[in-house]
Amino acid sequence: MRLQTKLILIICSLLAFVIISLGGIFYVVITTLLEKQIGEQALKVAETLAVMPEIRSAFDDKNPALVIQPLAESVRLETGAQYIVVGNREGVRYSHPIPERIGGLMVGGDNGPVLEGKPIISRATGSMGPSLRGKAPIFDKSGRVIGIVSVGFLTGNVNSITDAYQIEVMLVSFVVLVVGTIGSILIARSVRRSIHGLEPKEIGELYMEKQAILESIREGIIAINQAGRITLANRYAHQLLAIPEHESIIGKQVEEIIPNTGLMDVVRSGLAQSDREMLIGEEEVIVNRVPIKDFQNRVSGAVSSFRSKSELYRLAEELSQVKRFADSLRAQTHEFSNKLYVISGLIQLESYQEAIELISREASVHQNLVQFIMREVPDPVIAGLLIGKYNHAKELKITFRLDEESSFRDIPAHIDRSLLVTIIGNLVDNAMDAVLARRELDEDNKLTSLFLTDLGDDLIIECEDNGVGIPEDFSEAIFKKGFSTKQGEHRGIGLSLVEHALHKLNGYLTFSRSSQGGTIFTVAIPKYADLSQKEQSK
């Protein structure tokens, strides 16, 4: 059964139950009030007759009925009562709507309290049938009870009045039920539209899927309502905010958790914000903010996704390394193709000795470099980077020297190799760019050198070039993202990445002008943050 049908049936059932219950209660209340009102009316008429002087004095006559009967009938017709019966202490009637019953005894058996001087309202069956009646005692001048006045309304007549009310109640209830049914259909349609026609099972499945998706995303997700209170936060958001997972932040004001979050601006404007930078604590993050809109296209909240900037840097650097390795392979292929052409030409010229010397020289240089790197830089990632840079430098006609005193074997396990690749790769790239920018240098004098050492408690990386150097005016700006002295797009990123990587490794960088007019960049990275790390490495 579809959700809309279920809702209609549930609402109609509840509505019918409420209407029937209220109708029954209303009928009981009306009947009770009506009977009480008729009973009080009957009693008032009885008490009024009981104190009339004509009624009292007639009890002293030889035939009281001659005076009492006309008077009682007159009052009965005026008040609409079914009967007014006046009798003496023994219950002998002096008046009755049916004259033939005058002189007979009063019926009902409820005269006892009245003879004691108490007016009453009772239900009893008299000579005319079941009735609701009021009875009052008649006192003489000395205060003694000498008779009874009984004013009655037949129960059948009372029921006919209450039945009329019952019909009205049923009619009103039917109208309310019809209106309620129409309303329930409209409500069901509205609910179905607001939940996009989904069934409860489908909603439950979507909720579980949403939870799984939120926890699988490597981004912090926080959603707020229109009032700025947090309605959702995934596990990664807790990690970035340094809040334990068991400590719920749902229901809290987002500004209390993330000051200057900007989410409320999105709620107010309804405009999305993409790739904004902000600080959460000491962590730089990239933030995207999107408004949440209901089915009427009104903004009901906002959701923000944010990811650590360092992770994005790492990802970008990994992609950059893939590109560097590809460029290195291309350069190596190109270089060896040229060598093969030379060797082929020498063989065709029958200059066999020169061909052998060229092959031996090239093999010796490459083999010596590879063996040196494998011995002194055993980490395959860094070693692969150095070989790639060597090949790329050869393609650019730049001499790339790895200092013979270099050694990079003692690198603690906790130091992220990808960060070292970022630092070395970008320093070498910047050095080669600087050399190429110095146009007056011939091919034999274009030089870039690298020195690596792990002696002592620091890793030292020194990169030197004989390029154009860094103007003193720019010495403070070179680490800013996007700043570059070189022309072209996608510049001004390398040193920014280096500085960010050094920040993660607690290292630092200095630079100075080299003796050849270029720049020397020196990086120092502590091997251990504290003694415990040093002991663990041992």
Side-chain angles (χ1 to χ4, degrees):
M1 188 180 293
R2 303 293 293 176
L3 177 62
Q4 183 173 342
T5 306
K6 288 181 181 178
L7 283 173
I8 293 172
L9 289 176
I10 291 171
I11 294 174
C12 287
S13 299
L14 290 174
L15 192 60
F17 174 77
V18 171
I19 290 173
I20 292 172
S21 300
L22 290 177
I25 294 171
F26 183 72
Y27 177 73
V28 171
V29 171
I30 287 294
T31 302
T32 303
L33 290 175
L34 185 61
E35 289 182 354
K36 182 180 179 183
Q37 184 179 3
I38 291 174
E40 291 177 350
Q41 182 183 354
L43 182 58
K44 287 180 180 179
V45 173
E47 289 177 334
T48 301
L49 284 170
V51 297
M52 290 179 68
E54 294 87 347
I55 298 292
R56 286 180 178 178
S57 61
F59 272 77
D60 296 329
D61 295 344
K62 185 176 181 181
N63 188 1
L66 293 175
V67 176
I68 294 175
Q69 171 67 6
L71 189 58
E73 280 299 294
S74 168
V75 173
R76 182 181 73 82
L77 294 173
E78 288 290 333
T79 58
Q82 269 67 53
Y83 64 84
I84 294 178
V85 177
V86 179
N88 60 15
R89 287 184 59 86
E90 287 75 27
V92 177
R93 300 188 189 103
Y94 292 153
S95 68
H96 197 280
I98 303 173
E100 290 79 9
R101 296 181 182 180
I102 295 174
L105 295 177
M106 300 174 71
V107 181
D110 52 355
N111 289 340
V114 184
L115 294 175
E116 294 176 1
K118 298 176 182 177
I120 64 169
I121 298 172
S122 69
R123 268 181 183 273
T125 302
S127 61
M128 298 183 68
S131 60
L132 182 65
R133 48 195 178 179
K135 291 192 171 187
I138 303 172
F139 298 95
D140 62 9
K141 292 181 180 180
S142 62
R144 186 173 66 91
V145 177
I146 57 173
I148 299 170
V149 178
S150 177
V151 179
F153 293 86
L154 295 179
T155 305
N157 294 336
V158 175
N159 291 338
S160 65
I161 297 173
T162 57
D163 288 344
Y165 282 110
Q166 185 178 15
I167 293 171
E168 292 181 4
V169 169
M170 291 177 63
L171 182 60
V172 171
S173 299
F174 176 75
V175 173
V176 172
L177 183 60
V178 171
V179 173
T181 302
I182 296 172
S184 66
I185 293 173
L186 295 176
I187 291 171
R189 287 181 179 175
S190 175
V191 171
R192 184 174 175 81
R193 187 168 60 252
S194 65
I195 60 176
H196 303 287
L198 297 173
E199 294 298 310
K201 183 180 179 182
E202 294 172 333
I203 294 173
E205 290 173 352
L206 281 177
Y207 175 79
M208 298 305 296
E209 288 177 9
K210 184 203 75 171
Q211 291 297 112
I213 291 170
L214 286 176
E215 296 306 328
S216 67
I217 293 174
R218 293 290 294 170
E219 289 190 7
I221 305 289
I222 285 184
I224 64 170
N225 59 19
Q226 202 169 21
R229 295 194 176 277
I230 297 174
T231 57
L232 180 148
N234 68 347
R235 180 169 51 194
Y236 197 69
H238 279 260
Q239 292 179 8
L240 284 177
L241 295 170
I243 298 174
E245 287 186 42
H246 65 270
E247 185 178 329
S248 176
I249 59 175
I250 305 299
K252 295 184 178 180
Q253 283 289 338
V254 68
E255 293 287 351
E256 297 177 7
I257 305 299
I258 312 176
N260 304 318
T261 177
L263 273 175
M264 290 306 298
D265 295 336
V266 175
V267 172
R268 285 187 286 267
S269 67
L271 300 176
Q273 299 176 358
S274 301
D275 299 329
R276 303 292 179 89
E277 296 185 13
M278 67 174 292
L279 280 175
I280 296 181
E282 296 183 357
E283 188 77 32
E284 288 185 89
V285 296
I286 303 296
V287 183
N288 291 287
R289 307 180 184 100
V290 179
I292 301 172
K293 297 184 178 180
D294 59 20
F295 64 94
Q296 294 181 343
N297 206 36
R298 294 177 301 189
V299 177
S300 59
V303 62
S304 172
S305 65
F306 45 92
R307 187 165 188 175
S308 173
K309 200 172 179 181
S310 60
E311 291 189 12
L312 295 177
Y313 274 139
R314 185 179 295 112
L315 180 61
E317 184 57 30
E318 288 175 1
L319 293 174
S320 177
Q321 289 305 319
V322 171
K323 183 177 180 299
R324 289 188 191 121
F325 292 147
D327 289 342
S328 297
L329 290 174
R330 181 178 57 80
Q332 190 173 9
T333 301
H334 181 71
E335 182 68 19
F336 275 97
S337 295
N338 290 335
K339 300 298 182 185
L340 288 174
Y341 288 139
V342 174
I343 293 170
S344 175
L346 291 173
I347 293 174
Q348 291 178 26
L349 295 172
E350 298 182 357
S351 300
Y352 303 119
Q353 185 61 38
E354 287 81 358
I356 292 172
E357 291 177 358
L358 177 61
I359 293 171
S360 300
R361 185 170 62 252
E362 291 297 326
S364 176
V365 171
H366 193 270
Q367 186 175 8
N368 289 340
L369 175 67
V370 171
Q371 288 179 350
F372 176 77
I373 290 176
M374 289 177 63
R375 183 177 66 254
E376 299 298 335
V377 188
D379 188 282
V381 176
I382 300 175
L385 173 70
L386 295 177
I387 293 173
K389 293 302 177 186
Y390 171 79
N391 291 326
H392 186 51
K394 287 187 69 176
E395 183 186 20
L396 297 175
K397 307 301 181 182
I398 296 174
T399 302
F400 176 74
R401 292 177 183 171
L402 181 60
D403 196 290
E404 295 178 356
E405 299 297 323
S406 294
S407 176
F408 229 47
R409 288 179 288 185
D410 184 21
I411 304 176
H414 71 273
I415 292 181
D416 192 338
R417 269 47 175 183
S418 65
L419 296 177
L420 292 177
V421 168
T422 297
I423 295 168
I424 297 171
N426 281 290
L427 288 179
V428 173
D429 285 344
N430 278 358
M432 289 193 289
D433 287 343
V435 170
L436 292 174
R438 191 171 178 181
R439 301 186 182 280
E440 69 269 18
L441 293 175
D442 54 33
E443 292 185 3
D444 295 334
N445 292 322
K446 293 179 179 180
L447 176 64
T448 296
S449 61
L450 182 67
F451 172 67
L452 307 172
T453 182
D454 54 11
L455 298 178
D457 291 333
D458 294 322
L459 299 176
I460 303 298
I461 302 169
E462 187 175 274
C463 185
E464 182 179 357
D465 64 73
N466 63 343
V468 294
I470 298 174
E472 293 184 3
D473 295 343
F474 298 152
S475 60
E476 296 295 328
I478 60 173
F479 297 105
K480 292 181 180 179
K481 183 178 178 181
F483 177 84
S484 176
T485 59
K486 297 181 283 292
Q487 300 297 318
E489 297 182 358
H490 308 296
R491 295 289 188 177
I493 298 176
L495 289 179
S496 174
L497 291 173
V498 169
E499 185 183 42
H500 187 79
L502 286 172
H503 177 74
K504 302 291 286 186
L505 296 173
N506 297 317
Y508 63 90
L509 179 148
T510 60
F511 64 93
S512 59
R513 182 173 290 275
S514 70
S515 59
Q516 302 176 56
T519 307
I520 302 175
F521 283 95
T522 303
V523 170
I525 301 170
K527 293 183 181 179
Y528 313 103
D530 50 42
L531 291 176
S532 61
Q533 281 189 347
K534 189 172 183 178
E535 293 298 323
Q536 288 175 6
S537 297
K538 291 181 179 179

